[in-house]
């Protein structure tokens, strides 16, 4: 089944403890992106990647890092999480070419205490 | 930077009624406007999309209307059902640094509640 897989689905952590949220897609998509979703703010883009080793900042990149060493994986790294990073996170990917929508993962609910 | 303005933020509709969600964009790489539907606890999923040279696209009870001169597009849900209760996002494509590729800019979403 074609899908974007995120892990973990739920995570509670403490301030300052480094964590990684994984994202993997099995559709050979070149484009991948991370979003955070907060009430009233919609989907805000954190980072995106147009291809392997090509990443760029989105609208809210502060406090996050990403890497794209392989086409299928695009992990999101929080080196020193803070409570304001408590949010619902989504990974998405897209096929190359025009007129293609995004496929989203099921989301990761992160709570930083 | 491209902005997509979506309204209303929330919408309550009686079962059987028509739900209308509007979006306005500033610029677009090309005329492709998808709508996403998100149920609680799930990721957004592509619902319906309209492509160039088409002013209206219909799939079942869902219709997209596109007004290029006004830079607006809208989603109509006919005969709304409680199962349609979800958050809806519109999106417009933005060119990526002129490289011939694009990414989508999303509206802030509309929470639709269909009451029996």
């Amino acid at each position: 089944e074609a899908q974007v897989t995120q892990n973990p689905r739920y995570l509670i952590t403490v301030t300052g403890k480094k964590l990684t949220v994984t994202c993997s897609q099995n559709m050979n998509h070149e484009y991948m992106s991370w979003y955070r979703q907060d009430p009233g703010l919609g989907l805000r883009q954190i980072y995106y990647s147009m291809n392997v080793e090509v990443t760029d900042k989105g609208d809210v990149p502060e406090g996050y890092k990403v890497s794209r060493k392989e086409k299928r994986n695009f992990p999101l790294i929080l080196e020193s999480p803070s409570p304001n990073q408590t949010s619902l996170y989504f990974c998405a990917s897209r096929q190359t070419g025009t007129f293609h929508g995004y496929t989203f993962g099921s989301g990761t609910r992160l709570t930083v205490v | 930077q491209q902005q997509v303005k979506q309204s209303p933020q929330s919408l309550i509709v009686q079962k059987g009624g028509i739900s209308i969600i509007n979006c306005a964009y500033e610029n677009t790489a090309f005329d492709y406007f998808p709508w996403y539907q998100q149920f609680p606890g799930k990721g957004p999923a592509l619902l319906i999309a309209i492509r160039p040279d088409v002013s209206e696209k219909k799939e079942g009870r869902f219709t997209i209307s596109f007004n290029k001169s006004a830079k607006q597009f809208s989603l109509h849900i006919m005969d709304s059902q409680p199962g349609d209760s979800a958050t809806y996002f519109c999106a417009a494509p933005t060119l990526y640094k002129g490289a011939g590729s694009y990414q989508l800019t999303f509206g802030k979403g509309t929470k639709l509640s269909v009451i029996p």
Side-chain angles (χ1 to χ4, degrees), chain A:
Chain A
E1 179 188 355
Q3 60 186 356
V4 175
T5 303
Q6 291 180 231
N7 280 297
R9 288 295 311 275
Y10 301 92
L11 179 60
I12 301 175
T13 189
V14 296
T15 299
K17 185 177 181 181
K18 181 179 178 180
L19 67 91
T20 299
V21 183
T22 64
C23 174
S24 180
Q25 49 94 3
N26 62 359
M27 298 166 282
N28 202 37
H29 287 175
E30 291 187 346
Y31 175 89
M32 297 185 74
S33 182
W34 276 102
Y35 293 86
R36 61 178 288 174
Q37 184 176 18
D38 302 289
L41 299 178
L43 294 165
R44 293 185 293 167
Q45 190 179 50
I46 304 171
Y47 269 94
Y48 61 96
S49 170
M50 287 293 181
N51 212 328
V52 175
E53 301 291 4
V54 180
T55 62
D56 210 342
K57 297 177 181 179
D59 299 319
V60 289
E62 293 78 20
Y64 304 94
K65 287 176 58 178
V66 293
S67 69
R68 188 88 182 276
K69 299 188 188 312
E70 328 164 76
K71 183 180 277 192
R72 65 182 294 125
N73 295 322
F74 190 43
L76 179 69
I77 303 159
L78 285 72
E79 296 256 344
S80 182
S82 62
N84 64 12
Q85 293 178 297
T86 292
S87 186
L88 179 58
Y89 291 87
F90 289 102
C91 180
S93 70
R94 176 179 67 78
Q95 183 176 343
T96 301
T98 54
F99 314 134
H100 292 297
Y102 290 7
T103 300
F104 284 84
S106 296
T108 295
R109 173 74 68 182
L110 172 65
T111 302
V112 183
V113 297

